Amino acid sequence: MQQLTQKLGSGDMVIQEIPYPQVGKGMVIVKNHYSIISAGTEGSTVQAARKSLMGKAKERPQQVKQVLDTLRKQGPLQTYRAVMKQLDAYSPLGYSCSGEVIEVGEGVTEFRAGDKVACAGVGYANHAEVVAVPVNLCVKLNDTSNLKNAAYNTLGAIAMQGVRQADMRLGETCVVIGLGLLGQLTALMLKASGVTVIGIDVSDSAVKTAVDNDVVDLGFTRNAAGIEGQIQRTTNGHGADTVIIAAATSSLDPVNFAGAIARKKGTVVILGAVPTGFDRDPFWYRKELELKMACSYGPGRYDLNYEEKGIDYPVAYVRWTEKRNMEAFQNLLTTQKINIDYLTTHEFSFNEAPKAFDLVVNKTEPFIGIALKYDYSKTPKQEKIITNEKSASGTLGISFIGAGSYAQGNLLPNIPKKETISKVGVLTNSGTSSKRVAEKFGFNFCASNDADVLDEKTNTLFIATRHDSHGSYVLKGLKADKNIFVEKPLCLRESELTEIIQEQERSNKAVMIGFNRRFSPLTQAIRVKFGDGPKSMIYRVNAGSIPADNWIQDLEIGGGRIHGEVCHFIDYLTYVSGSMPVSLSAQAMPDVNGLNDTLNVLLKFENGSTGVIAYYANGSKSLSKEYIEVYSQGSTAILNDFKELKIYGKGKPSKKKLINQNKGQKEMVEAFVNGLLSNGKAPISFNEITAVTQATFKVLESIKRGGEQVEI
């Protein structure tokens, strides 16, 4: 299938073949008939991509700060990889489309193949021949629906949410500032509701379009003489009941002008991308104006449970969700209560999409809505795409399932370049990332489904997906007799762990987990110095907070931070002690979200060693993240953030200091690959991997039991 992509670094925009999307749980696969280009949102993205690096930096000061922070903590190599990953990536464009359902995923009951639908969502409703969309970002259409108009789905829902935030009554007056695509839709809905609409824009043509199509009752250009007085006369001297700002600008003029034309105790709704640093006097303060923000499509936006899991809000408590806003917009179109035929000023075939974006960026002629039309007579094929014609002839055939930021920064670059190693296939949730990773790192193909990367040419599978899929992919790999490298955690359910143990015993294949810290050169120095005798150990982690709505904190998807990260530190103490964990107790600090991400864990090991993991999400960001102390037989090691090691014993302390932080990722990947090539074994024993995983489950059990000691 074909998709429109752009590179953030160069601004290059191409239509290219990418793998057919995977039909995940709660997803529908849609063959696009139309998609709509948003001149505001997408236009700014394309313009930014075409700027120089300095221009990009000026537009994104917050991201520059993140880059500098990464440079300080992780050094130039990791920073370079992180930046280049973003700049070299194929970024999909588009977020509003319509078409026909061709496949539905597990648990989907409201859609079936052949249904006409409209879709929404950045990263979902792309400019592509085929898209995969969650059920709550997809609405069913009537058979008679005009699919070109229906493709305005996202923009219609955004406009409707702005109207709902305005909460206007019949006969009231609303001023809409900004008569681009979003402003036109907003004005149409307001007028259909019996509201008197005054439209304002800096563009003469935008105002003329609104007036000529009876979208507004009155229209003015922003620089029209006496505009405030005319609004006063129209509203009988009161001022506008509500002002909706649908413009996109860095200027403060819209929000200050809104204060000037609104009535006392009126409302101003921010729908577009404008700054809100208004002047307190003379209008906002004296009129006691109310400022409201309209959040995109409506309730449910940015909620993982709603958008990804498909969990709806009860209609009795949340009447208008983002999906219901979309449905209401489509109903307005079907019943012809609003007519948006005039909005599509330009239509291009999908193959001409780059030309359409040139029009958006260069503004060579006036436009409002730009539609892309697809050749929907084509039958999409689920087949892998060849990215490297060189045959996979090495004794070690490696494929990847999942290849996000961590994999691209720490796993893929560190696979040794040897003739005995072949890079076979890549499969990710995003066809664009699959294609780019396969090209950049020299894999033979990017895949459309699991079977492609589990064929006979692959004997070693790297799994770097979201945590909830680790266990199932490990099992699939072992059942297909593949060696496995899985990013932590091994799995999220004890039942999966039991199955994995049984399947590994059957296949006798190597299983490796991404516990990289034990491979750090400074960790190796500690092991050499202290050997296998009993030790007392402290591992303090200044983890920092992660919002409760982040996927990592979701127990079903990310497993929480104990599964996602504390397992690292249990493994580290297991390795340094030279012994298996046998029991533990854990207590977490209570918090309102029940995240269990500020906790202490006390571990006991077979050889008598003890270890404390102090994992804190409530500390200062200025403090280093990881600090370790090891005590044994009169000697002490202090390791600070994997950059500096001091060992105290007799005489003067020994010191080792690295220029850059080294958490052992490179050494870990090399040890795994070289181990397979030499003896077919992983550098961490399977017993250690399962013991640490079991201990992670026991941490949660101990917390639930009030810190009671539990056996592992």
Side-chain angles (χ1 to χ4, degrees), residues 520-562:
S520 166
L522 297 183
T523 303
Q524 294 300 308
I526 293 174
R527 280 288 283 135
V528 169
K529 174 66 178 178
F530 287 82
D532 289 332
K535 305 169 188 70
S536 300
M537 302 166 290
I538 300 171
Y539 201 134
R540 188 269 297 151
V541 187
N542 180 36
S545 63
I546 294 179
D549 59 358
N550 187 283
W551 71 268
I552 292 173
Q553 301 281 27
D554 186 276
L555 294 181
E556 292 181 15
I557 297 176
R561 299 183 80 179
I562 291 173

Side-chain angles (χ1 to χ4, degrees), residues 588-603:
M589 178 182 289
D591 71 271
V592 293
N593 294 307
L595 299 178
N596 292 329
D597 60 359
T598 297
L599 68 152
N600 291 309
V601 182
L602 176 60
L603 288 149

